[in-house]
Amino acid sequence: MTGTRTQSRRAMLGIAALVLLTAMLSVGLGARGVALADILSALQGQVETIGQAAVAARIPRTLMALLAGAALGLAGAAMQGVTRNPLADPGLLGVNAGAALAIVIGIAWFNIDSAALYIGTAVLGAGGAGIIVYLIAALGAGGATPLKLALSGAAVTAALVSFTTAVVLPRADIGGLVQSWLVGGVGGATFSQITPVLPALVLGGVIVLASPRRLNLLALGEEAATGLGESVAVARAMSAGGAILLCGATTAACGPIGFVGLVVPHACRAILGGDYRRVLPASALTGAALLTGADVLGRLVARPSEIDVGIVTALIGGPVFIWIVRRGRVAAL
Amino acid sequence: MSGAAGIQRQRRARLTRRLRFLGLCAMLVLALCALILSLGQSFTPPATVLRVLGGEAVPGAGFTVLQLRLPRAVVGALAGLSFGMGGAAFQTLLRNPLASPDIIGISAGASAAAVFAITVLGLAGLPVAVVAVTAGLGIALLIYLLSWRQGVAGARLILVGIGLSGMMQSLTAYMLSQAESWTLQAAMRWMTGSLNGVQLEQALPLLAALAICGGVLLIAAPALEVMRMGDETAAGLGVRTGAVRAAVVVAAVGLVAVATAMVGPVAFVAFLSGPIAARMTGRDGSLLLPAALVGAVLVLTADYAGQFWLPARYPVGIVTGVLGAPYLLFLIIRSNRTGGGL
């Protein structure tokens, strides 16, 4: 027992160190090379040279990447726990596409312009899409198998993206938005964009982080969970609600970013085992490290231009998805 | 009803039904073409359309009919035929309606390759189609290899395809966002498929693909039908299953990839055509020809609807995307009811 506990503590420390490292890289590295002295003075608030200004712009971007990554990792772990499905991911379940459609409709038809309304609409859209996808996959005998979940997610996503384009196309004034709703990114993030999403992220994070016991019971199967006195419906609704809050807020801030929620919990389970008391916090940290690292990578490989982080995560996550499918244990969990 | 006579009568009834369906579809395609040629933003009388098509110079109508409407009708119909036939060939070969090229990522791969050829390599016309076909074949091979694990299970193949499809789509989105002249129109074409701004020259690669790949598929159709009963049965009946499978995959990828290189991955046409044709003909005999005609009807109707029946002008892929998704969901729900399939 103590052996595994020290081991998992060590693993957690390692992941935390990774978060710190990627955050430092994200501030220090970019399309423009900046000398160490300039980086240090920029961190103290000086923005006199171009280099210092570039570093100053990287600070909110890094914060945004850390927050979005943590939110998506946590949401992915919760969704995989709630659906007991290894392929659950906010991107694959149509949740991101639902949030994007809701925001676009809000902008085009209801003229919403405050950040709080953006986030509210995004969460509504995310929740609606996630519930529809899950219900369709779960209909009838057999329940929501990974294949049915992935397919119904793909179908609903295709329809939602079509609708999103259909809403935006006739509106030349907001036509430029389409691109930002097809690919997610954290480039150009500012502190004024981060503040409004913080309450939703904190609330969703607290709900999910408070639910490891429920998720552990759900993992035993519905009957076992009910036998142990847990209301399965309440447990599912709480965790799923927290996850949807996290995804909706993240999509409202950064656009759709897929595969982080898929990859991260798998990595954490592989290192730390299946106990959600460890998997949830580890997923938040790993998600933050992964998204920040992917953003740094996207800035470095295409110099002097940048690759949006949503594309980097898809290129990293796609092979992992295929690896999970190939492992052939898609029915388990 | 007894014995051979009854069976023969049934067979004849089925054949009649099939021929009637084929005739009906072909007439529908022609009628749609006639509609597209004569009725757009303005009305051109059919007599004038015929005079223009006959080579006469008709002031006013000439440009509209020859430059705007004719390419749309011809390229749309040919692309629809290609998507429909290629999709049905995959669905028949893999014995699964979900294993259509647009769901398992072959269209997305061809589209990414076409965008690469255009924006990065600076190609245009036929070479783009060649790159798209090569990439489509590569993706098909990759899906097959990645889902191989003591045999290829349907579920694994489809899931691997969905994963690859996601990667290909984000590659396309990236290359489009990097292109110097990023326009919504261009992005629409490569993300969902569009007939806006097609040229008549684009019909040539499609015609070639239909003649070669379509010909191969129609020749292989009887063998493909036998293989629906299972590979061992087919082999026992003298079908060279390996050769047929290779020929069908290459030809079907060729059709879908060329069509994608010309008009983009028109959402769900390859996926929808086969099942619709099966429902209408009663699933007797090869679906390839009926599905091809259904594909042409789908593309032409959806494009026309997107242009004139909706409050704004939408590219064809948006219309088929919205139409196709409910059908996919229906398929998922129905397979749950019957408890098999997926």
Side-chain angles (χ1 to χ4, degrees), chain A residues 139 148 165-166 179 305 326, chain B residues 146 148-149 177 188 314 336:
Chain A
L139 269 179
K148 286 195 289 190
T165 337
Q179 200 186 3
S305 130
R326 265 186 65 81
Chain B
L146 285 175
W148 176 268
R149 200 184 155 119
S177 71
M188 280 299 106
Y314 294 119
N336 292 357

Side-chain angles (χ1 to χ4, degrees), chain A residues 97 152-165, chain B residues 192 267-268 318 321-322 325 328:
Chain A
S152 93
V156 170
T157 303
L160 291 173
V161 171
S162 292
F163 274 121
T164 307
T165 337
Chain B
T192 67
F268 289 142
I318 297 285
V322 171
L328 176 51

Side-chain angles (χ1 to χ4, degrees), chain A residues 136-137 139 147-148 150-152 155 158-159 162-163 165-166 169-170 179 183 305-307 311 314 318-319 321 325-327, chain B residues 98 146 148-149 156 159 163 167 170 173-174 177-178 182 184 188 312 314-315 318 321-322 325 328-329 332-333 336 342:
Chain A
I136 288 171
L139 269 179
L147 177 63
K148 286 195 289 190
L151 274 171
S152 93
S162 292
F163 274 121
T165 337
L169 261 189
Q179 200 186 3
V183 180
S305 130
E306 288 185 1
I307 302 180
I311 287 163
F321 175 91
V325 170
R326 265 186 65 81
R327 237 176 17 158
Chain B
L98 291 164
L146 285 175
W148 176 268
R149 200 184 155 119
R156 198 160 46 231
L159 281 171
M167 291 170 67
S170 55
Y174 170 66
S177 71
Q178 292 299 302
W182 190 90
L184 198 52
M188 280 299 106
Y314 294 119
I318 297 285
V322 171
L328 176 51
L329 297 177
I332 297 166
I333 293 169
N336 292 357
L342 300 189

